[in-house]
Amino acid sequence: MQRDPQDFDRVLSSMCTVPHPAARDAAMRFLSDNPGDPATYPVIAELEDDVVAMLGDIVGLDDPHGYVASGGTESNIQAVRAARNLADTDSPNVVAPESAHFSFPKAAEVLGVELRTVPTDADHRADLDAVAAAVDADTAMVVGVAGTTEFGRVDPVPALADLARDADALLHVDAAWGGFYLPFTPHEWSFAHADVDTMTVDPHKVGRAPVPAGGLLARDSRVLDALAVATPYLETRSQATLNGTRSGAGVAGAHAAIDAQWPTEYEDTYERQQANADWLAAELDARGYRVTDPVLPLVAADIPTREFDALRDRDWRISTTAAGETRFVLMPHVTRDTLARFLDDLDTVRD
Ligand code: 0PR
């Protein structure tokens, strides 16, 4: 069955997008190569090393360690796993703002780590006092989010890094969604801005790589060592990934997507989508909706349930935050024309 790329036209809530054409072609060529077995599939293994180096450029890390994961969930689980394995305690905890993605509760459950979720401030960013109060001698990791799933907020990463350092804990930054927009903003979010230890940054979101292509990066090789298990019957002796067999399509697709777009095309996409977000926010504000100011290309607005349901009935793919605001994720496929058509429909259905 052929999927029509135009199907993305009305998708305003997803973090998936239309893959870059070069990435689609590259993915097709490596559909069955397994980067999990580099001695048998050396070409895809080399491409993966390149992708890690390219991701290092994007997130300000000179000598990056890491791999292409299946997505943000795997990277977050693995970051927690590494922190737990490196921590000098029998009862490790992870401190994360309540804005952190639901992959952290999964990680905590699977790994037997206590997750301490702390409130965010009035602007939906990690509250530093609340983080400081939750951190103790058993804290293995502090989490900051650079581009939150619900509001596109960027946590105060340098201050979180200081709190983590004081507690001898690792600082993990989840830039799964924001990582390909943030390099073109003044936000302080990256390895270059603070003592960040690990980061999640997903080519299969804003990077326009095909799914599955996530990214886990670490400053120190000890993080990858803490994840490695012995692989007795492979030519290579150990494996640090969570998955065994992995998709060569994800790796090759990420390589082609980043090669084609970094940095110029990604910067153009950011500029266009930030302008679209600002425009949409102003249009909604002018209609009397309460709008959360978009610090990245993600708009949240208080649209009443009846109007939300009527728009869903008109086939708009929109979703709400836990508190009920409608979210608009300005992924690369979302155009000004689409947003104008959305507003026309909103004007038709609103009270
Ligand atoms: N970290 C952050 C900040 C995220 O926003 C997400 C996903 C993840 C981690 C997990 O990434 P993976 O889903 O790649 O494991 N955020 C979106 C969400 O859960 C993902 C999404 C994607 C939702 C496509 C809908 C959709 O159609 O809401």
Side-chain angles (χ1 to χ4, degrees):
M1 194 171 79
Q2 281 284 344
R3 191 180 191 289
D4 180 354
Q6 296 308 316
D7 283 356
F8 269 103
D9 192 36
R10 284 175 175 249
V11 176
L12 302 180
S13 60
S14 181
M15 290 190 172
C16 293
T17 194
V18 182
H20 191 280
R24 187 190 293 267
D25 291 348
M28 295 294 278
R29 291 199 299 277
F30 288 91
L31 279 175
S32 293
D33 281 37
N34 173 21
D37 181 4
T40 305
Y41 302 96
V43 176
I44 199 71
E46 245 178 72
L47 288 177
E48 182 169 25
D49 291 344
D50 285 354
V51 173
V52 170
M54 291 159 139
L55 289 173
D57 284 345
I58 295 171
V59 303
L61 184 59
D62 276 346
D63 181 21
H65 304 275
Y67 72 90
V68 176
S70 54
T73 299
E74 181 186 339
S75 297
N76 287 340
I77 291 173
Q78 288 280 80
V80 173
R81 181 174 159 227
R84 182 200 65 175
N85 291 354
L86 289 168
D88 190 14
T89 168
D90 292 333
S91 49
N93 67 70
V94 168
V95 177
E98 64 188 359
S99 53
H101 186 255
F102 55 74
S103 43
F104 288 99
K106 292 184 187 177
E109 186 180 328
V110 170
L111 295 164
V113 168
E114 181 197 350
L115 179 63
R116 296 185 176 170
T117 307
V118 301
T120 47
D121 65 16
D123 191 34
H124 309 287
R125 302 192 332 148
D127 181 315
L128 290 171
D129 290 337
V131 173
V135 167
D136 64 17
D138 291 323
T139 301
M141 166 180 278
V142 174
V143 176
V145 188
T148 60
T149 310
E150 291 198 323
F151 294 104
R153 283 332 196 219
V154 183
D155 285 335
V157 170
L160 290 172
D162 290 344
L163 289 175
R165 200 58 57 227
D166 289 348
D168 219 7
L170 297 190
L171 180 78
H172 176 67
V173 172
D174 183 356
W177 177 73
F180 282 81
Y181 279 147
L182 284 159
F184 315 108
T185 72
H187 292 287
E188 298 200 316
W189 64 286
S190 76
F191 286 94
H193 298 112
D195 204 355
V196 175
D197 293 292
T198 53
M199 185 177 286
T200 293
V201 53
D202 284 355
H204 76 197
K205 295 188 170 74
V206 175
R208 296 188 65 194
V211 180
L216 174 66
L217 293 183
R219 190 187 290 276
D220 195 318
S221 60
R222 287 193 319 137
V223 168
L224 273 290
D225 293 345
L227 295 171
V229 299
T231 51
Y233 47 82
L234 294 185
E235 286 305 303
T236 38
R237 278 194 298 279
S238 72
Q239 191 177 79
T241 54
L242 188 57
N243 286 328
T245 301
R246 288 183 293 138
S247 167
V251 171
H255 190 282
I258 300 171
D259 194 41
Q261 297 174 90
W262 171 258
T264 316
E265 224 178 290
Y266 284 137
E267 182 164 19
D268 292 348
T269 305
Y270 164 72
E271 298 291 350
R272 190 175 64 247
Q273 297 311 60
Q274 186 64 50
N276 281 336
D278 293 338
W279 179 80
L280 176 64
E283 289 288 328
L284 291 167
D285 181 66
R287 286 164 172 78
Y289 298 103
R290 198 165 50 76
V291 183
T292 306
D293 163 47
V295 300
L296 283 175
L298 197 162
V299 179
D302 235 342
I303 294 180
T305 309
R306 198 198 57 76
E307 295 171 25
F308 177 89
D309 290 344
L311 290 161
R312 292 273 319 176
D313 287 346
R314 287 176 175 243
D315 246 11
W316 290 102
R317 319 285 174 83
I318 44 181
S319 70
T320 55
T321 64
E325 295 97 336
T326 299
R327 295 162 67 238
F328 302 91
V329 186
L330 281 282
M331 293 298 290
H333 65 268
V334 178
T335 65
R336 182 73 62 101
D337 179 57
T338 298
L339 295 174
R341 283 187 290 112
F342 172 82
L343 289 170
D344 285 347
D345 274 5
L346 178 61
D347 289 337
T348 308
V349 305
R350 64 201 280 239
D351 300 322

